[in-house]
Amino acid sequence: MIFNFGSINVDHVYRVAEMPLPGETLTAGSYQKLLGGKGINQSIAIARAGQVPVHIGAVGSDDGWTMEQVKSFGIDTAMIARSTHPTGHAVIYVDDAGENQIVIFGGANRDLKPAQIEKAFETCTGADHWVLVQNETNLLADIVDQAKSAGFKVAYSAAPFVAGTVAQVIDKIDLLAVNEIEAQETARLLGVAVSGIAVPELLITRGSKGVEFHSHGDVHHHPAFQVETVDTTGAGDTFLGSFLAHHCHGIELTQSLRYASAASALQVTRPGAAVAIPAREEVEIFLKQRET
Ligand code: RIB
């Protein structure tokens, strides 16, 4: 089972022809308010792949909209707390090439309480369990410490990249998930080459160039499926959640990477982060089509 201590955001998404330059004012072509946040995107990807993750996080006390959305995806939400801070949000620009720029406001995501974490670990017991964390919540080092003491494996999505936090937890991580830029930043921080990042498992997503999975000295590559990109927001989250839904449940590596590549390929053909994550049936149809 996967216990995801993760962010929940409201994404305010503005479509723009190109990214604004410093000091420039642009008119957006469209605006949408959508569910997002790296944490919940990853939980949704796990759920859409057929597993039931337990999501531990927080939303604002007046929030109705986000929780309704989250519950509709079949995630265990019993440990999502109500905070006196507003629900976290992101302002996202997506340009005509589908690339994005994101500014996040932490809000309730940065108001996880030590008691909430302790209670979660009292409830989450058993063998072969994984804890998943990203850099959008507070108390990350405590969560990782408690996860290791409780015998969990820890998957860490080091995004957005925060050097101090990465340095604090890297020695306790079982699986580090990064994009190309985060891989370079991690390597620089540790004073090694990317291939020298010493974690048991390292997943590097490289967008349309595919992924690299380093495991105990072996390197596996998986190409990306080529598709028409509409919006890349949440593609890395989709890949990671889809991959973990297989890898953490003992599915063979190539199959796990193939499923995750297909899920994230489909996800970028649609607008939005969470709402664009495909269901298992859609991924299976896509994979069959790509076999021929
Ligand atoms: O990874 C994409 C996500 O980053 C968005 O959904 C946004 O909320 C930010 O957390």
Side-chain angles (χ1 to χ4, degrees), residues 2-150:
I2 302 170
F3 298 89
N4 184 4
F5 292 75
S7 58
I8 302 170
N9 285 341
V10 176
D11 286 354
H12 298 275
V13 185
Y14 303 86
R15 293 292 313 205
V16 290
E18 47 198 43
M19 295 300 171
L21 298 170
E24 189 182 19
T25 301
L26 287 181
T27 301
S30 69
Y31 163 74
Q32 278 184 297
K33 179 179 155 186
L34 298 168
L35 178 64
K38 294 186 194 308
I40 204 70
N41 294 342
Q42 292 163 10
S43 279
I44 291 169
I46 294 166
R48 298 290 263 165
Q51 303 293 341
V52 180
V54 178
H55 194 95
I56 302 106
V59 294
S61 52
D62 57 346
D63 183 90
W65 183 84
T66 14
M67 279 309 288
E68 254 172 52
Q69 300 258 318
V70 169
K71 283 182 180 157
S72 72
F73 285 100
I75 293 164
D76 184 333
T77 58
M79 283 191 272
I80 298 179
R82 295 284 174 164
S83 162
T84 52
H85 295 256
T87 301
H89 73 257
V91 172
I92 305 180
Y93 301 146
V94 182
D95 70 13
D96 282 350
E99 292 301 332
N100 62 57
Q101 277 186 1
I102 305 179
V103 174
I104 55 170
F105 173 73
N109 295 319
R110 313 250 2 132
D111 189 36
L112 301 190
K113 304 276 195 258
Q116 182 189 2
I117 307 303
E118 276 159 32
K119 191 165 165 230
F121 280 107
E122 278 164 21
T123 320
C124 314
T125 52
D128 295 331
H129 287 338
W130 284 75
V131 157
L132 169 60
V133 287
Q134 320 76 28
N135 280 338
E136 288 185 349
T137 63
N138 62 323
L139 297 180
L140 195 119
D142 291 348
I143 295 166
V144 171
D145 281 344
Q146 289 187 49
K148 294 311 286 181
S149 309

Side-chain angles (χ1 to χ4, degrees), residues 7 11 36-46 102 132 134 136 157 159-160 182 205 232-244 260 263-264 267 273-274 277:
S7 58
D11 286 354
K38 294 186 194 308
I40 204 70
N41 294 342
Q42 292 163 10
S43 279
I44 291 169
I46 294 166
I102 305 179
L132 169 60
Q134 320 76 28
E136 288 185 349
S157 161
E182 292 152 2
T205 49
T232 57
T233 312
D237 304 332
T238 304
F239 193 100
L240 179 59
S242 307
F243 176 74
L244 292 179
S264 53
Q267 197 265 355
I277 300 171

Side-chain angles (χ1 to χ4, degrees), residues 209-276:
K209 288 175 273 167
V211 294
E212 231 174 84
F213 187 74
H214 301 233
S215 174
H216 304 96
D218 292 334
V219 185
H220 307 260
H221 295 267
H222 199 282
F225 293 100
Q226 300 307 311
V227 289
E228 292 256 321
T229 300
V230 169
D231 182 355
T232 57
T233 312
D237 304 332
T238 304
F239 193 100
L240 179 59
S242 307
F243 176 74
L244 292 179
H246 291 78
H247 186 64
C248 299
H249 289 87
I251 308 290
E252 190 263 329
L253 182 62
T254 309
Q255 203 181 328
S256 304
L257 291 172
R258 186 168 157 76
Y259 181 94
S261 300
S264 53
L266 270 173
Q267 197 265 355
V268 301
T269 64
R270 304 164 180 179
V275 291

